[in-house]
Amino acid sequence: MIAKKTLKLSLKSLRDFAKKRLPDQELIELDARDECPLEVVRDMCGPKKLGLQLLFIPEEFGGFGGGAFDVYCVCEEMARIDLGVATSVLATFLGSDPITVGATPEQKKVWLTRIAEEGILFAYGATEPEAGSDLGALLSTAERVTQDGRVVGYKINGAKQWISNGGIADAYTVLANTPSGPSWFIVEKGTPGFSHDEPEDKHGIRTSNTAALSLSDVYVDADRLVGGVEGQGLNQAQAVFGYTRLMVAAFGLGAGWAALDRAIPYSAKRIQGGSPLSQKQGYTHKLIVPNVARLEAGRAYIEETAERIDAGEGSLNTEGAIAKYMATEAGNLAADASIQALGGYGYTHEYMVEKVKRDVRITTIYEGTSEIMEMTISRDRWQFHLKTRGQHYHEQARQFETMHARHPSVGAEVAALALHALAEVMEKARLGRLTRYQHILLRLGELVSYAECAGSLSRRAALLAEGRLNEKANQRFDATELAAIARIFAREAALKVAEDGLRWVTAAGGVSAAEMADFEAALGLGAIHRAQAGLISDMDYLADVLYGRAAKRVALSA
Ligand SMILES: Cc1cc2nc3c(=O)[nH]c(=O)nc-3n(C[C@H](O)[C@H](O)[C@H](O)COP(=O)(O)OP(=O)(O)OC[C@H]3O[C@@H](n4cnc5c(N)ncnc54)[C@H](O)[C@@H]3O)c2cc1C
């Protein structure tokens, strides 16, 4: 783990570097030219310049040994600057992950030291033209090359699609099928038979190089098989999913905030109908406030998951999926709303929000699409529901009811309503065997995410009130402000879980007309509707906080 002071310094250096090397005008031009600023990327990952790569390399190989929390902080900051450049840096993180988790000590020493000391760029080659979400369908092969009955190397054939840094990396981790199953290989650029296509002409992250790879009888020595044992590739990829999904979650969060942080000052100055847009409730409460609440719900879940990964609780793949799902969907919504918030100006390149919107779009696609996240989340939590005979979420809800007694203002009692409703929806789905409908299964993934994030945000607000939040945690909001955000999001989550849950269970024939009233009561719909009381005044308060009017408001009412 990195010391707080070192992390703060690194984040400041990153901001200073970006101010000098990636000002808005430069980014707009790079985006228009569809160009990856290779020199900037090399300087960001270079030992003599910014040295960002050192953050995630273990100390024994010359890095700082940053944990999941550190990497989240850096990823959010990078995304606030430019998601394309951030993706280039991320590709080295991702490309070296199979090595970090699965390589032999000798392989780690060679490759992680080279990343730390030379700043070599990596790419992560998993996806293929016919194998995207379903990586198990990969067709690339690695054929053993033997000498005197001993495996001395492999001959790799195949094609890889959409590889970040594909055209600029110095080394690649490539997933290919050996006779014993999928395995990672390290392939250096320039290896005979290994080539890449022209960069893809993309919708967004145009400052990131994305290219297809082609491998035609590419020979590598046996010591390029990561871990030295065939067939470990999918396990090695799985082992870091929680962690890597957190990075992309942080991208969604950072990009979403980058857009809102342009919309907020814009609307404070833009006069329409005789007063600034920021003073119009119909504007702030649609375009700004709910997006802040959703992003901060995503942040709460990211921070909690990062802390748990750093505490050694395992790879937390499902939690990583929830964090990614919530933060990237929220980032997309926030960026879209920011275009609307700037009106016609938002629709032009100059004001940047349309670029952020195009850029952030990738975050719900790469490192697992939102639909795959929904499926992962739902399948995992479905098992919890079955194993506890339906009590898993009721039990969680009771913990939030207890929290409410100590912290009555953090929305814990409303988060509890969301969790109770979720348990009821899942139980009805079990009784009606509704998860045989894939759509119901995936919608449950969404509802789980909302309910768990509501709980997480309430807990974060309570911890902040107690002064027990992680010392590296984002401190944009104080305890009173975060409590208001938690109340706003908990209301949205409870309503969504109960009403969408009712809708889909009914749609799939899981509740008869005669049972409907009892089901509605079990969902707590009445209580959830009553909990919406006070929402407008919380939103008013949050708008005042965001526009720097909160102190004045308190003073006036005192
Ligand atoms: C700019 C960019 C950079 C990338 N960088 C990398 C990289 O560095 N390394 C790498 O290995 N890959 C990379 N990728 C690939 C990325 O991870 C894949 O695009 C992604 O996993 C989705 O795979 P796919 O494109 O084949 O879509 P598909 O898997 O074909 O999915 C298409 C649609 O169908 C949905 N879908 C798929 N399966 C199901 C199902 N079972 N049930 C319901 N819906 C389903 C998906 O959610 C999606 O909406 C990158 C992609 C892009 C665009």
Side-chain angles (χ1 to χ4, degrees), residues 124 126-127 132-133 162-164 362 365-366 369 371 375 438:
Y124 177 83
T127 306
S133 299
W162 317 122
I163 306 305
S164 303
I362 190 58
I365 297 174
Y366 65 15
T369 65
E371 293 68 40
M375 199 185 315
Q438 198 208 22

Side-chain angles (χ1 to χ4, degrees), residues 1 16 26 80 95 110 125-126 162 165 176 191 286 296 391 399 426-427 430 487 491 498 504 520 531 549:
M1 247 56 73
D16 293 345
E26 175 71 6
R80 291 183 66 93
V110 172
W162 317 122
N165 286 358
T191 307
K286 178 183 176 193
E296 289 306 300
Q391 287 308 300
Q399 290 173 19
M426 289 178 99
E427 184 56 9
R430 184 187 71 80
R487 293 194 298 273
R491 290 184 182 102
W504 293 119
E520 285 168 348
R549 305 181 300 230

Side-chain angles (χ1 to χ4, degrees), residues 63-80:
F64 296 159
F69 210 100
D70 303 314
V71 170
Y72 134 67
C73 295
V74 175
C75 284
E76 181 187 0
E77 199 61 54
M78 287 197 300
R80 291 183 66 93

Side-chain angles (χ1 to χ4, degrees), residues 14-27:
L14 175 56
R15 279 191 292 269
D16 293 345
F17 177 92
K19 224 180 256 167
K20 250 200 329 229
R21 305 284 300 276
L22 294 169
D24 281 4
Q25 194 50 40
E26 175 71 6
L27 286 170

Side-chain angles (χ1 to χ4, degrees), residues 87 90-91 94 123-135 160-166 173 184 200 202 204-205 208-211 362 364-373 375 379 438 442:
T87 297
L90 173 85
L94 289 182
Y124 177 83
T127 306
E128 298 191 354
E130 306 301 329
S133 299
D134 178 14
L135 262 190
K160 295 288 168 185
Q161 188 73 22
W162 317 122
I163 306 305
S164 303
N165 286 358
T173 34
W184 289 101
E200 302 286 351
K202 305 190 296 292
I205 57 165
S208 156
N209 175 288
T210 315
I362 190 58
T364 63
I365 297 174
Y366 65 15
E367 271 305 286
T369 65
S370 280
E371 293 68 40
I372 297 301
M373 296 304 100
M375 199 185 315
R379 281 185 176 155
Q438 198 208 22
L442 269 60

